[in-house]
Amino acid sequence: MSRYEELEAFVRTIESGSFTAAAKQLRVAKSAISRRISELEARLGTQLIIRTTRKLSLTESGQALFQRATMLLSDWEEAEGAASQSAKDLSGRIRIAAPLSFGISYLGAAIIDFTKNHPDVSFDIDFSDRKVDLVAEGMDLAVRIGDLPDSGLIARKVAPIRTVVTASPDYLKDKPAVKTPEDLQALSELRYSGRAKTVWTYKGPHGQSGTIELPSALTASNGDFLRDAAVAGLGVTIQPIFILCDAIDEGTLVELLPDYRWSDINAYAVYPPTRHLSVRVRAFVDFLVARYSGIPPWELEAKA
């Protein structure tokens, strides 16, 4: 058994929180992970992990080794990368999690273009609106949209995203004209269930601000469905512009109160502080920031 495999098994087990999760990341049997860590402890002559039925915890020796081993594994990967390819000849796998709507509409095209430029880089992508545990699932990074909780993750801003209010012309034709945010409260909202707040904050063109809450006609966990429901005339939807821009461009949805700003958000690339960014992951994040600099494509489409 190599010392590298022992350290890798140890670090991935602590990062993910279990032998099972580490085995899944490294694509080996759970018994192999346990054996590698036992052999590491035997070789060092000290216990590193305290095993209970509910959780794993580190001994003092284990904590000291974990901090150093994490850096060593990162340095090893960087050294291999520097020896095997130039900066523009990236290789290896990037595991990434991204929200479904943004992932399909925009991130997917970016990944395809990046892969064309770097054919030796492969991607393992989880397009899902669930909140992925990056450490437990062995992800290199995630693209997340919205306000980031204080999760301990490292975040880099990729692009700003406007929030807009829309409804279909058919839905609006027999409703009172919407001239102020308060007028929206007479309408029904098609609400995204992943948003914790039901109250919307706005800022007007002359600096005035306030909050409103619309009655909910339905809730759903996918923005594309809510857009389609709005196009069908079921109510008003308040969502990120990248979900609604095509429908606005086609005229099947109308943007209401365009001079008002509604809880604008950002897209971020996030990764765990314990996960050193490889050259390929850092290059991909840089690629995303450059791609969406200036006026993002979803804003251009909405104005087309």
Side-chain angles (χ1 to χ4, degrees):
M1 184 67 60
S2 73
R3 293 186 177 187
Y4 178 86
E5 288 177 323
E6 291 174 354
L7 285 177
E8 184 180 43
F10 171 66
V11 169
R12 300 305 175 224
T13 296
I14 300 307
E15 285 184 338
S16 64
S18 72
F19 292 107
T20 301
K24 184 177 180 180
Q25 286 186 31
L26 298 177
R27 290 181 168 83
V28 298
K30 178 182 175 182
S31 59
I33 297 295
S34 180
R35 184 176 65 255
R36 291 175 188 181
I37 293 175
S38 294
E39 291 178 357
L40 176 62
E41 290 177 322
R43 183 166 56 80
L44 297 177
T46 185
Q47 184 179 9
L48 301 172
I49 299 175
I50 300 172
R51 304 159 176 82
T52 67
T53 55
R54 296 193 175 190
K55 65 176 183 177
L56 303 175
S57 57
L58 288 170
T59 64
E60 185 176 347
S61 296
Q63 183 63 50
L65 179 63
F66 176 69
Q67 293 175 356
R68 297 296 299 273
T70 301
M71 292 186 290
L72 284 170
L73 289 179
S74 296
D75 290 343
W76 182 288
E77 185 177 80
E78 289 291 325
E80 284 189 332
S84 63
Q85 78 263 334
S86 67
K88 59 184 179 181
D89 274 329
L90 303 173
S91 67
R93 184 178 61 154
I94 298 176
R95 298 196 68 200
I96 181 172
L100 182 61
S101 296
F102 184 80
I104 297 299
S105 297
Y106 293 98
L107 188 63
I111 289 172
I112 290 170
D113 288 345
F114 185 85
T115 303
K116 287 179 179 178
N117 294 332
H118 305 286
D120 292 328
V121 174
S122 63
F123 282 86
D124 184 345
I125 311 162
D126 184 342
F127 286 138
S128 172
D129 289 332
R130 70 186 180 90
K131 188 173 182 179
V132 174
D133 186 326
L134 301 185
V135 174
E137 300 189 36
M139 294 290 180
D140 292 300
L141 78 156
V143 171
R144 291 189 174 162
I145 300 197
D147 297 325
L148 295 180
D150 185 13
S151 62
L153 297 173
I154 297 174
R156 183 176 176 189
K157 181 179 173 181
V158 171
I161 298 175
R162 263 193 321 134
T163 299
V164 296
V165 183
T166 62
S168 72
D170 285 344
Y171 179 75
L172 295 171
K173 66 183 179 182
D174 59 352
K175 303 289 190 301
V178 176
K179 298 180 179 179
T180 70
E182 287 69 29
D183 293 336
L184 291 171
Q185 295 177 124
L187 308 177
S188 296
E189 182 184 358
L190 309 174
R191 185 176 297 160
Y192 179 60
S193 59
R195 186 175 185 270
K197 298 178 181 179
T198 58
V199 173
W200 288 98
T201 301
Y202 66 84
K203 188 171 184 178
H206 304 296
Q208 70 273 36
S209 60
T211 61
I212 61 167
E213 185 172 7
L214 285 67
S216 175
L218 62 83
T219 61
S221 62
N222 180 261
D224 291 336
F225 169 76
L226 294 173
R227 176 202 59 215
D228 293 345
V231 170
L234 300 186
V236 172
T237 188
I238 307 175
Q239 292 200 75
I241 183 66
F242 68 81
I243 296 176
L244 305 171
C245 59
D246 287 342
I248 294 172
D249 183 39
E250 294 163 0
T252 53
L253 289 179
V254 176
E255 183 178 355
L256 304 175
L257 304 173
D259 292 334
Y260 286 76
R261 304 302 295 264
W262 300 86
S263 305
D264 290 347
I265 54 180
N266 295 298
Y268 297 92
V270 301
Y271 61 95
T274 57
R275 182 65 53 79
H276 179 76
L277 280 188
S278 65
V279 173
R280 61 183 174 276
V281 175
R282 189 180 302 113
F284 179 64
V285 174
D286 289 342
F287 174 81
L288 291 180
V289 172
R291 186 181 183 94
Y292 299 131
S293 63
I295 301 176
W298 43 87
E299 291 287 358
L300 292 175
E301 290 170 14
K303 297 175 181 178

